[in-house]
Amino acid sequence: MKRSRSFSLLFYLYLLVIVFATFSIVSMEARKTNIKKKLHKRHKGGHTRGSHSPCPVPAPQGSTFDVLAFGAKGNGVSDDSEALLAAWNGACKVAAATVKIPAQFKFLMKPVTLQGPCMPDLTLQIDGTLLAPSEASSWPQSSLFQWINFKWVQNFTIIGSGTVDGQGYNWWSSSEFYDMQKTYSKHIPSIKPTAIRFYSSNFVTVRDIRIINSPLCHLKFDNSKGIKVNNITISSPENSPNTDGIHLQNTQDVEIQRSIISTGDDCVSIQTGCSNVHVHHINCGPGHGISLGGLGKDKTSAACVSDITVEDISMKNTLFGARIKTWQGGIGMVKNVTFSRIQVYDVMYPIMIDQYYCDKEICKNHTSTVVISGVKFDQIHGTYGMQPVHLACSNSIPCTDVDLSDIQLSPSPKYRGLQQAVCWNSYGKSQGPLIPSSIDYCLRSGGGLIKRIARSHDRVCY
Ligand SMILES: *[C@@H]1O[C@H](CO)[C@@H](O)[C@H](O)[C@H]1NC(C)=O
Ligand SMILES: *[C@@H]1O[C@H](CO)[C@@H](O)[C@H](O)[C@H]1NC(C)=O
Ligand SMILES: *[C@@H]1O[C@H](CO)[C@@H](O)[C@H](O)[C@H]1NC(C)=O
Ligand SMILES: *[C@@H]1O[C@H](CO)[C@@H](O)[C@H](O)[C@H]1NC(C)=O
């Protein structure tokens, strides 16, 4: 009696547990499908009108827009650019949204323009790989300037452990041939695309990703402000022509830090219209070093660059180290530039100002020039290949306030470089230690009148 009662009690308890468990599984499934349906609806929301609900459910703040959910294949073969655009357009309307490029997939992308303005704090999370079309001839002729173009974005971040691969081999290998034989231009256009370009964009952060093998420049900012680049890796082979790492033009308030850059051209190139740029903790090389310019190629508008600090840099096997280059005949001004704490290993020309920059064999001499003043080279140590210091300032207006302090450079045993520092028309101070000692006699001192002339040129910039 007692036994059977406790048995039935147990039985009821058992039943209860089963019923409860079943119920909760069912309701969980229901919730899941509900969420899925909602997600689906939300994703389609922007494109297919006339869904069941009269007003689409707005995506909550902080939503993720995975390109796979927008029809991307991620197989490296099908063109996924439409899916990226759709995910972008969805995320753009939501505050703090994330467009996700998931890991372990390869997304082939035609050239795209990802346009703002968007709701603030949009993030592009790149964990997978973005691939550019590999054949130069298959690029649309209308989109040769860049591959991934961000336009009018504000408060925007690119982050992730993924790779942006410009697959530029085709463009590099053909370029020499193209240069020699311009008639052979049918297959390879004369304009080459930059991999990632930001145009007219403010408060942009790019971090952690890898950008490789761009046909031309890897990461470019123009007409932008408030840029932060941190912990990125840029690489393309040493023999890839004109593949700048990071290129800045008309861009202010920039910090580029803790990144590794090796390409066939400048690691960082700072062009006209840039000011308040801070570049630090960069591993650069192989490549052409960090440069300002070539400025003044366009003789009709002023080239102006000011307030630039480049410090804590390691350069290995680069052609140049810290360099300012201007074309003859330009107008404008370069001022307040500091290159400091730069370690060089086998760098051909670690310290250079070249006001005779020229891409041909012979360039015509002009009297007008981009005026250079207030340039410090400080704590530049290591080994050089060709010449420790080469400052070639304009014949017509010299460089002023060029300071050389604590420069310690020894010739690399691998090359047979010159021991002689060369300065032409450069005024400023030098402060020891200076090795080789020829640096001590390189600069001219004084130049008060020259400074006044130089300052009068400032006006074209401000
Ligand atoms: C964008 O970022 C800047 C700098 O962090 C900040 O001052 C500004 O308020 C932000 N704008 C928006 C719309 O969030
Ligand atoms: C730098 O980026 C790499 C690659 O994405 C990542 O693994 C690492 O955590 C990042 N480091 C920092 C300090 O953010
Ligand atoms: C020179 O530029 C630095 C930034 O690189 C800035 O902090 C400093 O105030 C500038 N100096 C002058 C005199 O403008
Ligand atoms: C230009 O000027 C430089 C320096 O004075 C001189 O060495 C060079 O021969 C000149 N070039 C031409 C083409 O006149």
mmCIF file with all atom_site columns, all heavy atoms in Angstrom, residues 120-121 154-155 202-203, ligand 1:
data_model
loop_
_atom_site.group_PDB
_atom_site.id
_atom_site.type_symbol
_atom_site.label_atom_id
_atom_site.label_alt_id
_atom_site.label_comp_id
_atom_site.label_asym_id
_atom_site.label_entity_id
_atom_site.label_seq_id
_atom_site.pdbx_PDB_ins_code
_atom_site.Cartn_x
_atom_site.Cartn_y
_atom_site.Cartn_z
_atom_site.occupancy
_atom_site.B_iso_or_equiv
_atom_site.pdbx_formal_charge
_atom_site.auth_seq_id
_atom_site.auth_comp_id
_atom_site.auth_asym_id
_atom_site.auth_atom_id
_atom_site.pdbx_PDB_model_num
ATOM   1  N N   . PRO A 1 120 ? 25.816 56.987 -36.025 1.00 0.00 ? 120 PRO A N   1
ATOM   2  C CA  . PRO A 1 120 ? 27.168 56.967 -35.465 1.00 0.00 ? 120 PRO A CA  1
ATOM   3  C C   . PRO A 1 120 ? 27.633 55.601 -34.963 1.00 0.00 ? 120 PRO A C   1
ATOM   4  O O   . PRO A 1 120 ? 26.816 54.728 -34.688 1.00 0.00 ? 120 PRO A O   1
ATOM   5  C CB  . PRO A 1 120 ? 27.108 57.976 -34.314 1.00 0.00 ? 120 PRO A CB  1
ATOM   6  C CG  . PRO A 1 120 ? 25.691 58.298 -34.103 1.00 0.00 ? 120 PRO A CG  1
ATOM   7  C CD  . PRO A 1 120 ? 24.923 57.910 -35.309 1.00 0.00 ? 120 PRO A CD  1
ATOM   8  N N   . ASP A 1 121 ? 28.936 55.490 -34.878 1.00 0.00 ? 121 ASP A N   1
ATOM   9  C CA  . ASP A 1 121 ? 29.609 54.318 -34.300 1.00 0.00 ? 121 ASP A CA  1
ATOM   10 C C   . ASP A 1 121 ? 29.347 53.029 -35.073 1.00 0.00 ? 121 ASP A C   1
ATOM   11 O O   . ASP A 1 121 ? 29.170 51.956 -34.490 1.00 0.00 ? 121 ASP A O   1
ATOM   12 C CB  . ASP A 1 121 ? 29.230 54.151 -32.817 1.00 0.00 ? 121 ASP A CB  1
ATOM   13 C CG  . ASP A 1 121 ? 29.558 55.400 -32.022 1.00 0.00 ? 121 ASP A CG  1
ATOM   14 O OD1 . ASP A 1 121 ? 30.596 56.007 -32.318 1.00 0.00 ? 121 ASP A OD1 1
ATOM   15 O OD2 . ASP A 1 121 ? 28.772 55.776 -31.148 1.00 0.00 ? 121 ASP A OD2 1
ATOM   16 N N   . GLN A 1 154 ? 31.449 58.918 -40.816 1.00 0.00 ? 154 GLN A N   1
ATOM   17 C CA  . GLN A 1 154 ? 31.831 59.623 -39.590 1.00 0.00 ? 154 GLN A CA  1
ATOM   18 C C   . GLN A 1 154 ? 31.787 58.634 -38.440 1.00 0.00 ? 154 GLN A C   1
ATOM   19 O O   . GLN A 1 154 ? 30.903 57.800 -38.390 1.00 0.00 ? 154 GLN A O   1
ATOM   20 C CB  . GLN A 1 154 ? 30.797 60.721 -39.259 1.00 0.00 ? 154 GLN A CB  1
ATOM   21 C CG  . GLN A 1 154 ? 30.370 61.567 -40.413 1.00 0.00 ? 154 GLN A CG  1
ATOM   22 C CD  . GLN A 1 154 ? 31.228 62.797 -40.574 1.00 0.00 ? 154 GLN A CD  1
ATOM   23 O OE1 . GLN A 1 154 ? 31.933 63.189 -39.642 1.00 0.00 ? 154 GLN A OE1 1
ATOM   24 N NE2 . GLN A 1 154 ? 31.189 63.399 -41.750 1.00 0.00 ? 154 GLN A NE2 1
ATOM   25 N N   . ASN A 1 155 ? 32.703 58.794 -37.501 1.00 0.00 ? 155 ASN A N   1
ATOM   26 C CA  . ASN A 1 155 ? 32.696 57.948 -36.312 1.00 0.00 ? 155 ASN A CA  1
ATOM   27 C C   . ASN A 1 155 ? 32.548 56.482 -36.702 1.00 0.00 ? 155 ASN A C   1
ATOM   28 O O   . ASN A 1 155 ? 31.603 55.800 -36.328 1.00 0.00 ? 155 ASN A O   1
ATOM   29 C CB  . ASN A 1 155 ? 31.577 58.371 -35.346 1.00 0.00 ? 155 ASN A CB  1
ATOM   30 C CG  . ASN A 1 155 ? 31.773 59.801 -34.912 1.00 0.00 ? 155 ASN A CG  1
ATOM   31 O OD1 . ASN A 1 155 ? 31.685 60.709 -35.741 1.00 0.00 ? 155 ASN A OD1 1
ATOM   32 N ND2 . ASN A 1 155 ? 32.069 60.016 -33.649 1.00 0.00 ? 155 ASN A ND2 1
ATOM   33 N N   . ASN A 1 202 ? 35.387 61.605 -41.298 1.00 0.00 ? 202 ASN A N   1
ATOM   34 C CA  . ASN A 1 202 ? 35.936 62.107 -40.038 1.00 0.00 ? 202 ASN A CA  1
ATOM   35 C C   . ASN A 1 202 ? 35.809 61.099 -38.916 1.00 0.00 ? 202 ASN A C   1
ATOM   36 O O   . ASN A 1 202 ? 34.848 60.340 -38.867 1.00 0.00 ? 202 ASN A O   1
ATOM   37 C CB  . ASN A 1 202 ? 35.219 63.390 -39.619 1.00 0.00 ? 202 ASN A CB  1
ATOM   38 C CG  . ASN A 1 202 ? 35.360 64.482 -40.656 1.00 0.00 ? 202 ASN A CG  1
ATOM   39 O OD1 . ASN A 1 202 ? 36.278 64.464 -41.476 1.00 0.00 ? 202 ASN A OD1 1
ATOM   40 N ND2 . ASN A 1 202 ? 34.441 65.425 -40.641 1.00 0.00 ? 202 ASN A ND2 1
ATOM   41 N N   . PHE A 1 203 ? 36.772 61.152 -38.012 1.00 0.00 ? 203 PHE A N   1
ATOM   42 C CA  . PHE A 1 203 ? 36.796 60.267 -36.838 1.00 0.00 ? 203 PHE A CA  1
ATOM   43 C C   . PHE A 1 203 ? 36.700 58.797 -37.267 1.00 0.00 ? 203 PHE A C   1
ATOM   44 O O   . PHE A 1 203 ? 35.747 58.093 -36.965 1.00 0.00 ? 203 PHE A O   1
ATOM   45 C CB  . PHE A 1 203 ? 35.683 60.643 -35.845 1.00 0.00 ? 203 PHE A CB  1
ATOM   46 C CG  . PHE A 1 203 ? 35.731 62.086 -35.457 1.00 0.00 ? 203 PHE A CG  1
ATOM   47 C CD1 . PHE A 1 203 ? 34.699 62.961 -35.782 1.00 0.00 ? 203 PHE A CD1 1
ATOM   48 C CD2 . PHE A 1 203 ? 36.842 62.600 -34.798 1.00 0.00 ? 203 PHE A CD2 1
ATOM   49 C CE1 . PHE A 1 203 ? 34.769 64.305 -35.457 1.00 0.00 ? 203 PHE A CE1 1
ATOM   50 C CE2 . PHE A 1 203 ? 36.914 63.946 -34.462 1.00 0.00 ? 203 PHE A CE2 1
ATOM   51 C CZ  . PHE A 1 203 ? 35.876 64.802 -34.799 1.00 0.00 ? 203 PHE A CZ  1
HETATM 52 C C1  . LIG B 2 .   ? 32.350 61.410 -33.285 1.00 0.00 ? 1   LIG B C1  1
HETATM 53 O O1  . LIG B 2 .   ? 33.594 61.246 -32.625 1.00 0.00 ? 1   LIG B O1  1
HETATM 54 C C2  . LIG B 2 .   ? 34.093 62.472 -32.119 1.00 0.00 ? 1   LIG B C2  1
HETATM 55 C C3  . LIG B 2 .   ? 35.499 62.214 -31.589 1.00 0.00 ? 1   LIG B C3  1
HETATM 56 O O2  . LIG B 2 .   ? 35.548 61.064 -30.811 1.00 0.00 ? 1   LIG B O2  1
HETATM 57 C C4  . LIG B 2 .   ? 33.152 63.035 -31.076 1.00 0.00 ? 1   LIG B C4  1
HETATM 58 O O3  . LIG B 2 .   ? 33.639 64.264 -30.600 1.00 0.00 ? 1   LIG B O3  1
HETATM 59 C C5  . LIG B 2 .   ? 31.781 63.233 -31.706 1.00 0.00 ? 1   LIG B C5  1
HETATM 60 O O4  . LIG B 2 .   ? 30.865 63.636 -30.725 1.00 0.00 ? 1   LIG B O4  1
HETATM 61 C C6  . LIG B 2 .   ? 31.294 61.932 -32.341 1.00 0.00 ? 1   LIG B C6  1
HETATM 62 N N1  . LIG B 2 .   ? 30.067 62.202 -33.075 1.00 0.00 ? 1   LIG B N1  1
HETATM 63 C C7  . LIG B 2 .   ? 28.982 61.453 -32.945 1.00 0.00 ? 1   LIG B C7  1
HETATM 64 C C8  . LIG B 2 .   ? 27.820 61.848 -33.782 1.00 0.00 ? 1   LIG B C8  1
HETATM 65 O O5  . LIG B 2 .   ? 28.952 60.480 -32.203 1.00 0.00 ? 1   LIG B O5  1
#
